[in-house]
């Protein structure tokens, strides 16, 4: 059953039936609205109230499915609260699912002293909330959402990082594997990425062959057209910089 959509001031429509939250405390958050609602990433726990209101504006039933592009708290931090509110299913790659469920330790990163003090001071604002992963996707599956979301496994930023490709709209959700912050297209943040080269190899092998026009990154601005050409240029620039 389709519900009438009312415009929510917290959302922008970035592709047909795909909405992005305008402001979040954590990662970018995307909503796919069709015959049902799908959430891609969910920000920090502090984003839960906004996400619940935005979901209800698109579909009173809330999201039937939430997909975590990876296990970092700024991407899946509010999923426990959304699941509690709407009974949504959670999907993630098995290599990150145990972290999301609290069965495996969260990866700790070496930070400079200033950043370490900053994150420690803010830690009470971002409590880690574990959530059960109902659907474990390894890559190659197609999730039933707005005509289908193809799962692409892209390890490097985390072991279980994934991208999602929506062929009908030519849209690609990249999590942190590809970012577009301050209009600079880039790969995953090296400070928080155990294997940057593996991530770039995944982009070369599995992303570049796709026919996509819209790029929906985990952080930064959406690229609404010409995204594949931008990614190809990024890879070429990186290749030229290799010794």
């Amino acid at each position: 059953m389709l519900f009438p959509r009312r415009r929510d001031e917290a959302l922008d429509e970035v592709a047909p039936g795909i909405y992005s939250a305008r402001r979040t405390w954590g990662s970018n958050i995307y909503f796919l609205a069709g015959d049902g609602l799908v959430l891609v990433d969910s920000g920090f726990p502090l984003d839960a109230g906004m996400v619940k209101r935005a979901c209800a504006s698109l579909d009173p039933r809330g999201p039937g499915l939430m997909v975590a592009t990876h296990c970092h708290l700024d991407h899946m931090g509010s999923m426990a609260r959304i699941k509690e509110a709407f009974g949504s299913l959670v999907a993630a790659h098995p290599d990150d699912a145990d972290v999301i469920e609290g069965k495996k330790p969260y990866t700790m990163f070496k930070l400079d002293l200033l950043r370490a003090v900053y994150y420690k001071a803010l830690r009470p604002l971002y409590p880690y909330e574990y959530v059960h992963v109902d659907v474990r996707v390894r890559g190659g599956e197609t999730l039933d959402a707005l005509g289908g979301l193809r799962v692409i496994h892209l390890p490097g930023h985390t072991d279980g990082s994934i991208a999602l490709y929506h062929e009908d709209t030519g849209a690609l959700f990249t999590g942190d594997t590809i970012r577009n912050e301050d209009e600079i297209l880039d790969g995953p943040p090296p400070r928080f990425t155990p294997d940057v080269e593996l991530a770039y190899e995944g982009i070369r092998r599995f992303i570049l062959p796709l026919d996509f026009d819209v790029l929906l990154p985990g952080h930064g601005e959406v690229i609404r057209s010409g995204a594949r050409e931008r990614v190809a240029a990024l890879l070429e620039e990186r290749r030229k910089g290799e010794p």
Side-chain angles (χ1 to χ4, degrees):
M1 176 182 177
L2 293 176
F3 289 86
R5 315 291 180 202
R6 68 173 178 84
R7 182 174 177 81
D8 190 303
E9 63 180 11
L11 300 176
D12 283 323
E13 189 168 14
V14 294
I18 301 176
Y19 300 82
S20 174
R22 288 185 176 178
R23 294 180 181 85
T24 75
W25 290 91
S27 71
N28 290 340
I29 302 171
Y30 299 104
F31 308 76
L32 289 79
D35 188 8
L37 184 66
V38 175
L39 188 68
V40 178
D41 287 336
S42 71
F44 276 122
L46 283 174
D47 291 306
M50 177 274 294
V51 174
K52 285 190 282 189
R53 290 190 296 272
C55 286
S57 76
L58 294 169
D59 188 330
R61 300 168 298 184
L65 180 69
M66 298 184 287
V67 186
T69 60
H70 59 288
C71 63
H72 288 165
L73 178 60
D74 59 326
H75 287 256
M76 49 65 58
S78 74
M79 286 190 176
R81 299 185 187 186
I82 306 305
K83 186 182 183 78
E84 181 180 6
F86 296 109
S88 313
L89 299 179
V90 174
H93 191 278
D95 290 343
D96 277 11
D98 284 348
V99 178
I100 293 171
E101 292 183 338
K103 298 174 182 176
K104 183 178 177 181
Y106 189 80
T107 301
M108 301 304 293
F109 299 92
K110 292 182 179 180
L111 301 172
D112 58 77
L113 180 60
L114 183 60
R115 286 178 182 267
V117 170
Y118 174 77
Y119 286 130
K120 186 175 181 179
L122 293 182
R123 189 173 182 178
L125 297 176
Y126 308 127
Y128 201 98
E129 297 191 22
Y130 303 119
V131 64
H132 176 67
V133 176
D134 306 280
V135 182
R136 298 193 175 209
V137 290
R138 296 185 174 275
E141 303 94 336
T142 298
L143 301 173
D144 184 19
L146 277 183
L149 280 173
R150 188 192 310 173
V151 180
I152 303 162
H153 184 207
L154 297 172
H157 181 57
T158 66
D159 291 341
S161 285
I162 61 173
L164 300 166
Y165 175 50
H166 189 245
E167 187 173 4
D168 284 2
T169 56
L172 180 71
F173 303 82
T174 59
D176 280 0
T177 299
I178 301 177
R179 300 168 294 145
N180 188 39
E181 297 179 280
D182 299 321
E183 298 185 359
I184 298 174
L185 195 66
D186 206 352
R191 186 183 301 275
F192 300 105
T193 303
D195 196 333
V196 172
E197 289 305 319
L198 180 60
Y200 270 103
E201 180 61 23
I203 297 171
R204 292 187 189 95
R205 291 181 60 193
F206 303 116
I207 296 302
L208 200 57
L210 299 174
D211 182 19
F212 63 97
D213 194 45
V214 179
L215 190 138
L216 305 168
H219 295 277
E221 301 79 21
V222 170
I223 299 177
R224 296 176 184 245
S225 65
R228 186 187 177 281
E229 290 77 11
R230 293 276 305 275
V231 172
L234 167 66
L235 293 177
E236 179 61 17
E237 183 178 327
R238 185 173 178 83
R239 184 190 67 80
K240 288 179 178 178
E242 293 175 350

